[in-house]
Amino acid sequence: MAKKYVYFFGPGKADGTSEMKNLLGGKGANLAEMCNLGLPVPAGFTVTTDCCTDYFANKSKFPAGMMDQVKTALTKVENVMGMKFGDPKNPLLVAGRSGARMSMPGMMETVLNIGLSSKTVPALIAKTGNARFVYDSYRRLMMMYSDVVMEKAEGIEPKDDKGIRHQLEEIMKEVKQKKGVELDTDLSADDLKQLCELFKERIKKAMGKEFPDDPMKQLEGSIGAVFKSWNGKRAIAYRNIENIPHTWGTAVNIQAMVFGNMGDTSATGVAFTRNPANGENKFFGEYLVNAQGEDVVAGIRTPWPINEMTKNEHTAHLPSLQKKMPKLYTQLDAIKNKLEKHYKNMQDLEFTIQEGRLWMLQTRDGKRTGLAAVNMAMDMLAEKLIDTETAILRVKPAQLDEFLHPIIDPNAEKNASLIGKGLPAGPGGAFGKIVFTSDDAVEWAKRGEKVLLVRDETNPEDIAGMRAAEGILTARGGMTSHAALVARSWGKCCIVGAADFKIDFSKNEVIVKGKSFKEGHIFTLNGTKGTVYDGQLQMIDATENPRLKAFLKLIDKYKSMKVRANADTPEDAARARNFGAEGIGLFRTEHMFLSDGHDEPKAYMVQMILADNEKERRAALDKLFPFMKKDIKETMKAMSGYPVTIRLLDPPLHEVLPSRDDTREKLAGMINIPAEEIKKRAALLHEVNPMLGHRGVRLGITFPELTEMQIRAILESAAELKKENIKAIPEIMVPVTCDEREIKDHKLIYDRVLAEVIKKYSLKGLECMYGTMIEIPRACLLSHQMAETAEFFSFGTNDLTQMSFGFSRDDIGSFLSEYLERKILTEDPFQTIDQSGVGQLVQCSCVRGRSVNPKLKLGVCGEHGGDPDSIAFFYKVGLNYVSCSPFRVPIARLAVAHAEIDAKKAPAKKAPAKKVPAKKATAKKPAKKKPVTKKAAKKKK
Ligand code: ADP
Ligand code: MG
Ligand code: MG
């Protein structure tokens, strides 16, 4: 039998369900589900994503049998709706709507009012007695169809961005001007009729062919065009940003049209079952009377609030749906409750009211800010709508980042000069130089500027600039406008509908109440309040939020993999503890030579480097010793009870020598030598390739006394803390090793100093560990040898990535973007671990290391330790801990909790699991690797 490409949905019954997102796309699956729930949904059918991929495989031709299935399903729709497609008496119109597995809002195309033709137009007028409505629908069809099907799908790139849609909009503007009206709704039936004629002419002239008058042709054209919109520029760009596979394809939903533009008893709207910006449990939405389709989202007319309770100062004067159509509002509110109860998640709804009758057009899990995600998860948990694990899974690790981003200091805000106001669409604070185009935002950000993108409204073409900007400000649009939706999904500060901001592109400035601000002027936005201030305001951190703390409490028990912090100072250590870090995974001893304000130890270090013989070197090291000990001791104290991994000196020596003349003078003075001497030595130490030069363990091999001094400082600190009854657990880590003999060499020093310290402090023993950083591919391969001496490994995945790819960490910028664009790489390997290559080395090292030492402790301390996707991988290979910067600790902890919960749910998948998990796994790389070894996972402790 031929493949089933077409799935019907209609009142009370559908072929599909919400579980079938992969095949039907999110929109199709949820339309089916709403039908099954008995909600009022216009009947229709879904052409599958499978059909889309077959279509592309088949040189963009419909696979055999598909159109027959479409026609059969169309007949079913006709029967249910009591109208006939293309019928000259009682015509059915349909919408052709895109819908991928994961929602890609506004990124693909939709064509409405399909089926209007020279025959059906008069029929519909006769039937409805509403010529104005019919011609309004007709001109909309022509606009969408010519743009989507005749231009975009044909791959036509219009000159100067003056595409057919733009041209038609210009014509419409002219007609409005001639008639002296401002709103589309003020055009009369005759005006619109005339407009339709003008549109037809222009389309023929511009596109070189007629707008098709055959409804079936329109339908076929629309299906193909929606398929093709999967490969439209902005859809591709969006998938790149969101990491959605390009192979999925989109479904097409053909659905009976219902009309929100039939007059004052008709309307269309968008709503969220809870507030998507802050999570408040209040039904929140916007609508427009006598409007169709995208009017609400496009920001062409300012939409009205759906109810009284969510009105604010900007919307207080507008009529709510609740007041205007109370019965319908009550019905909608009941549907909202039903849907939220069913999906157990905040829903994003689209509805249309046709002459007093409510129709549901869409539902999906709503995008939300991190703040809203946390608040909703905690609320729904309290309401017993979801369980703890679901609550945890509801917040994406990356969303916590928002809490870790600044908000405006309320004190600074009190005295700030307010320029204007808009709707609070995306939370937090942001400041930056204002720019007026997406391209400028990208360009300025590239050269390191913080920018705010200021636009009349945004559309999907602005995605890159919105991404690059610190914050977004638009003059038009409501809370459900494109800018608002996109900003929220990224947790980006955003204000929309700031009507006082009038951009003058010709002068590159924005005028607010008579005052002008040039491009490059600094504004500060408060996206939580919707206020715009002049100049740059002080920011503070949002981590003190009590809701966040309560949420983090939920994840406390998911600790089979620990999270540590990379911290070099007692303050960082304390902050990390505060965020729930259980130890330090990387303490860099060199911070005291490389950061400012450490002149004295730096001077002694310089002295050590300049020394000609061991004796002089030891003398300098002796002076350095107390400084090193003090720092280490305080940090271990701040981490009392938790392990602290201290890495022996890592960077090449010349990096430690001052390069600036003034510091060189100063340090030279402190140790009584000529500054020239330092300069000369620096020149001598210069290396062609310092990353692969005299650094790490190699320093200790040539200067064993340097290693000895550091180990002594560490162990004496631990001994003294022990005497003070403070539990210190140092882990001494030797960096950049490539051979077991290096580790054995240093182990001799370690053993000797340990014995000496134990004796000096009259101790019975001292809790400490000796191990190495694994960051050279050779070390991974020889891990069974390295593990004979090392008690722990910590993967330095930055260097390991550098040396595996042969990509310089510091120079990758010059070619990475090309690699990503051309899909040679899918991700920056320095941000997300390359599982197939570098990951394989890590995995091999774990297996080989543990084969000789089952108790070998394994961790990671590169940038990847704070990256959620990498963490999921590290969890699978069975690491004991990850370590990341203190501010990423909450993100990493949540990623660990997700990994644990997902792992727990995975085996149960055989049973028809209820919704939820898998989403992440299927969204990203399909879980190729099974959890490496159950054993490895268990061995953790
Ligand atoms: P998107 O994925 O961009 O949201 P949709 O397929 O939801 O695209 O279509 C956009 C808009 O078109 C909807 O918000 C709705 O207002 C309108 N629309 C879609 N289908 C219908 C329909 N069957 N009847 C009336 N309006 C529709
Ligand atoms: Mg939609
Ligand atoms: Mg390194």
Side-chain angles (χ1 to χ4, degrees):
M1 204 185 82
K3 240 193 212 171
K4 184 169 167 68
Y5 283 125
V6 174
Y7 285 70
F8 173 81
F9 57 85
K13 204 186 133 22
D15 295 349
T17 70
S18 67
E19 306 282 317
M20 295 164 71
K21 290 204 175 70
N22 291 358
L23 189 63
L24 303 181
K27 198 179 288 162
N30 284 330
L31 283 169
E33 189 82 359
M34 284 199 291
C35 288
N36 292 333
L37 286 172
L39 300 183
V41 176
F45 54 87
T46 304
V47 187
T48 63
T49 55
D50 203 23
C51 184
C52 179
T53 42
D54 286 355
Y55 172 80
F56 286 127
N58 192 23
K59 300 192 184 121
S60 299
K61 282 206 218 72
F62 294 142
M66 178 202 103
M67 270 319 280
D68 292 337
Q69 296 184 36
V70 164
K71 283 174 189 158
T72 311
L74 187 59
T75 309
K76 245 173 140 174
V77 176
E78 290 171 340
N79 291 339
V80 170
M81 301 302 290
M83 293 177 268
K84 257 177 105 69
F85 190 65
D87 190 70
K89 284 211 190 77
N90 187 16
L92 170 74
L93 304 190
V94 297
R97 318 171 64 190
S98 56
R101 273 194 217 188
M102 270 168 69
S103 107
M104 297 169 51
M107 296 299 141
M108 287 179 300
E109 307 295 349
T110 293
V111 183
L112 303 182
N113 309 332
I114 300 168
L116 281 173
S117 67
S118 53
K119 288 207 189 92
T120 57
V121 164
L124 203 59
I125 294 175
K127 182 180 155 194
T128 61
N130 188 343
R132 196 204 166 275
F133 145 72
V134 176
Y135 286 114
D136 184 50
S137 305
Y138 199 24
R139 65 97 187 160
R140 287 172 191 268
L141 169 65
M142 282 191 260
M143 279 176 131
M144 284 185 258
Y145 194 90
S146 60
D147 174 43
V148 174
V149 187
M150 300 175 78
E151 185 171 280
K152 289 211 174 83
E154 293 298 320
I156 297 171
E157 301 242 0
K159 267 192 259 146
D160 309 326
D161 275 346
K162 301 245 160 57
I164 183 68
R165 183 160 200 146
H166 178 92
Q167 298 177 37
L168 300 185
E169 270 164 6
E170 289 294 311
I171 295 177
M172 186 158 161
K173 237 194 236 163
E174 279 164 30
V175 171
K176 277 197 283 185
Q177 257 164 17
K178 250 202 267 168
K179 294 275 152 185
V181 301
E182 205 176 310
L183 293 176
D184 303 356
T185 41
D186 292 336
L187 290 173
S188 69
D190 275 345
D191 299 339
L192 288 165
K193 183 175 177 186
Q194 210 187 356
L195 193 63
C196 289
E197 287 309 314
L198 293 174
F199 275 14
K200 264 187 213 159
E201 277 167 34
R202 175 56 65 92
I203 290 172
K204 186 170 176 198
K205 194 165 138 220
M207 312 309 299
K209 38 181 161 168
E210 305 254 3
F211 169 73
D213 197 42
D214 172 2
M216 203 36 109
K217 259 214 176 109
Q218 291 173 5
L219 182 62
E220 282 179 23
S222 300
I223 295 175
V226 170
F227 279 161
K228 280 185 183 153
S229 72
W230 173 256
N231 284 328
K233 263 195 208 154
R234 23 178 241 237
I236 291 176
Y238 185 84
R239 288 200 295 274
N240 284 341
I241 292 174
E242 301 285 326
N243 266 320
I244 298 174
H246 296 288
T247 50
W248 282 357
T250 180
V252 184
N253 301 289
I254 301 297
Q255 184 181 31
M257 281 298 300
V258 288
F259 300 98
N261 56 338
M262 285 187 75
D264 285 344
T265 53
S266 300
T268 184
V270 178
F272 296 91
T273 58
R274 302 184 188 212
N275 186 312
N278 61 23
E280 218 179 9
N281 188 3
K282 286 184 182 167
F283 191 23
F284 181 91
E286 294 172 328
Y287 79 110
L288 283 172
V289 169
N290 197 11
Q292 189 179 35
E294 308 274 63
D295 293 357
V296 175
V297 183
I300 295 167
R301 271 156 63 194
T302 302
W304 297 341
I306 57 165
N307 55 22
E308 294 297 310
M309 68 180 159
T310 56
K311 279 186 171 179
N312 60 30
E313 55 180 302
H314 305 284
T315 55
H317 61 289
L318 300 170
S320 68
L321 182 71
Q322 191 177 19
K323 278 262 169 79
K324 239 180 128 62
M325 307 180 185
K327 270 209 189 115
L328 289 165
Y329 176 78
T330 308
Q331 191 193 351
L332 184 64
D333 190 56
I335 289 174
K336 168 215 111 174
N337 289 332
K338 190 166 190 177
L339 283 173
E340 204 177 74
K341 225 175 173 169
H342 179 73
Y343 284 100
K344 302 185 193 320
N345 201 344
M346 186 267 274
Q347 296 295 296
D348 168 352
L349 314 173
E350 290 174 9
F351 63 91
T352 282
I353 293 166
Q354 175 177 334
E355 298 189 304
R357 186 160 171 202
L358 176 66
W359 295 93
M360 298 307 296
L361 294 180
Q362 188 170 327
T363 188
R364 65 182 170 208
D365 291 349
K367 303 230 177 202
R368 62 205 74 183
T369 63
L371 176 71
V374 168
N375 285 340
M376 282 181 206
M378 296 307 290
D379 283 347
M380 290 187 184
L381 182 64
E383 293 158 24
K384 300 208 161 63
L385 193 60
I386 55 176
D387 60 14
T388 308
E389 291 191 344
T390 308
I392 293 171
L393 292 175
R394 280 293 158 77
V395 182
K396 290 188 217 134
Q399 281 184 313
L400 289 185
D401 199 32
E402 260 171 60
F403 287 90
L404 315 169
H405 276 315
I407 54 173
I408 303 177
D409 179 349
N411 284 326
E413 193 164 1
K414 261 186 233 151
N415 305 318
S417 103
L418 182 72
I419 302 178
K421 285 186 184 176
L423 302 173
F431 62 83
K433 298 185 171 170
I434 55 173
V435 295
F436 307 116
T437 69
S438 171
D439 287 349
D440 282 340
V442 171
E443 206 161 289
W444 289 41
K446 241 189 208 156
R447 51 177 209 246
E449 307 259 25
K450 285 185 187 310
V451 298
L452 298 178
L453 180 62
V454 182
R455 304 277 294 157
D456 282 337
E457 69 217 354
T458 65
N459 63 47
E461 262 105 46
D462 293 323
I463 284 286
M466 297 169 76
R467 185 82 174 171
E470 302 290 312
I472 299 155
L473 173 65
T474 69
R476 290 205 285 259
M479 289 292 281
T480 51
S481 66
H482 176 261
L485 287 174
V486 172
R488 268 200 299 277
S489 72
W490 291 339
K492 191 162 281 205
C493 176
C494 176
I495 296 174
V496 298
D500 286 335
F501 289 70
K502 309 232 171 345
I503 302 174
D504 184 342
F505 285 102
S506 66
K507 292 201 189 125
N508 242 349
E509 62 183 24
V510 58
I511 297 159
V512 196
K513 297 177 200 141
K515 236 179 129 184
S516 79
F517 302 90
K518 290 259 170 241
E519 175 189 65
H521 190 94
I522 296 184
F523 283 174
T524 300
L525 309 183
N526 182 338
T528 318
K529 284 211 242 163
T531 42
V532 183
Y533 303 99
D534 195 9
Q536 177 178 340
L537 297 186
Q538 184 73 37
M539 301 279 162
I540 57 170
D541 83 277
T543 53
E544 288 305 312
N545 186 317
R547 239 35 212 304
L548 173 68
K549 292 193 166 166
F551 179 76
L552 290 177
K553 264 231 130 51
L554 294 183
I555 61 173
D556 254 350
K557 64 175 191 193
Y558 299 93
K559 297 190 161 171
S560 58
M561 183 162 80
K562 308 273 188 219
V563 174
R564 298 193 193 181
N566 297 348
D568 302 334
T569 62
E571 300 79 62
D572 275 357
R575 174 175 301 136
R577 272 299 302 139
N578 219 0
F579 282 148
E582 297 189 86
I584 289 180
L586 181 61
F587 175 98
R588 305 169 178 91
T589 52
E590 63 266 22
H591 92 94
M592 63 167 68
F593 315 116
L594 297 179
S595 58
D596 285 338
H598 290 86
D599 286 343
E600 215 181 331
K602 200 185 265 176
Y604 300 138
M605 188 68 196
V606 170
Q607 199 171 18
M608 184 311 292
I609 296 172
L610 295 181
D612 288 326
N613 53 53
E614 185 185 333
K615 194 163 158 238
E616 275 178 32
R617 256 194 310 275
R618 281 197 182 269
L621 287 170
D622 282 348
K623 284 191 271 184
L624 189 54
F625 179 76
F627 289 93
M628 181 149 285
K629 188 163 148 188
K630 179 163 171 282
D631 262 36
I632 291 174
K633 189 170 165 186
E634 276 173 21
T635 303
M636 287 202 290
K637 200 166 161 184
M639 269 291 155
S640 164
Y642 295 99
V644 176
T645 306
I646 300 152
R647 181 175 69 183
L648 301 182
L649 196 65
D650 183 59
L653 287 183
H654 73 89
E655 266 186 31
V656 181
L657 293 178
S659 57
R660 281 204 344 240
D661 285 343
D662 51 340
T663 27
R664 201 183 290 128
E665 296 282 344
K666 193 164 66 183
L667 295 186
M670 291 172 78
I671 51 175
N672 277 325
I673 52 145
E676 260 316 288
E677 200 52 36
I678 301 182
K679 203 168 179 177
K680 255 200 258 163
R681 182 55 67 101
L684 276 179
L685 286 174
H686 171 79
E687 291 175 316
V688 174
N689 206 339
M691 273 288 186
L692 306 177
H694 193 185
R695 60 177 287 215
V697 66
R698 299 157 207 167
L699 293 171
I701 297 289
T702 47
F703 306 129
E705 53 282 359
L706 179 60
T707 298
E708 180 181 332
M709 183 279 286
Q710 296 179 80
I711 292 182
R712 194 180 303 280
I714 297 165
L715 296 179
E716 283 198 6
S717 304
E720 284 173 16
L721 287 170
K722 187 167 184 179
K723 289 268 174 192
E724 295 165 28
N725 271 323
I726 294 168
K727 195 171 163 69
I729 314 173
E731 298 177 344
I732 296 175
M733 177 160 79
V734 186
V736 214
T737 53
C738 63
D739 193 283
E740 59 165 336
R741 276 162 288 213
E742 291 167 327
I743 304 179
K744 287 196 165 127
D745 176 279
H746 273 38
K747 178 72 163 29
L748 294 177
I749 304 176
Y750 169 80
D751 285 338
R752 174 165 56 78
V753 176
L754 180 60
E756 285 168 12
V757 170
I758 288 177
K759 192 159 165 228
K760 176 173 170 186
Y761 290 87
S762 319
L763 300 169
K764 286 212 187 74
L766 193 58
E767 189 177 352
C768 57
M769 276 183 130
Y770 175 79
T772 187
M773 196 143 162
I774 300 281
E775 48 193 333
I776 295 181
R778 185 175 197 271
C780 295
L781 299 173
L782 298 178
S783 286
H784 47 293
Q785 295 171 0
M786 314 288 274
E788 275 176 17
T789 315
E791 296 171 275
F792 68 87
F793 287 172
S794 173
F795 293 97
T797 48
N798 299 342
D799 268 316
L800 188 58
T801 299
Q802 168 165 273
M803 290 190 239
S804 301
F805 277 89
F807 289 165
S808 162
R809 281 153 71 174
D810 303 315
D811 306 305
I812 191 173
S814 53
F815 55 87
L816 180 65
S817 54
E818 197 82 18
Y819 267 65
L820 294 175
E821 255 158 48
R822 294 177 49 191
K823 310 254 160 10
I824 294 169
L825 289 177
T826 51
E827 266 148 340
D828 176 354
F830 289 100
Q831 267 175 32
T832 298
I833 191 132
D834 155 52
Q835 291 190 23
S836 54
V838 180
Q840 197 182 138
L841 283 167
V842 170
Q843 201 173 345
C844 145
S845 174
C846 294
V847 172
R848 291 186 187 180
R850 280 196 175 134
S851 71
V852 297
N853 177 5
K855 284 203 300 231
L856 186 69
K857 197 175 193 179
L858 297 169
V860 61
C861 62
E863 286 299 303
H864 304 99
D867 170 67
D869 288 341
S870 307
I871 291 171
F873 172 75
F874 296 137
Y875 180 86
K876 284 184 199 161
V877 297
L879 298 195
N880 301 87
Y881 69 88
V882 294
S883 187
C884 58
S885 82
F887 275 110
R888 291 198 73 82
V889 167
I891 297 174
R893 286 178 57 206
L894 182 54
V896 169
H898 279 208
E900 241 186 280
I901 294 171
D902 286 346
K904 201 170 82 183
K905 297 203 167 172
K909 244 182 141 183
K910 286 172 257 146
K914 277 247 156 110
K915 265 194 65 127
V916 191
K919 190 162 182 192
K920 178 105 206 208
T922 43
K924 293 254 156 158
K925 308 117 207 170
K928 281 175 239 151
K929 274 167 207 128
K930 278 213 303 245
V932 178
T933 61
K934 278 232 190 73
K935 267 181 278 155
K938 259 192 227 144
K939 267 183 218 148
K940 285 182 239 169
K941 148 76 233 153

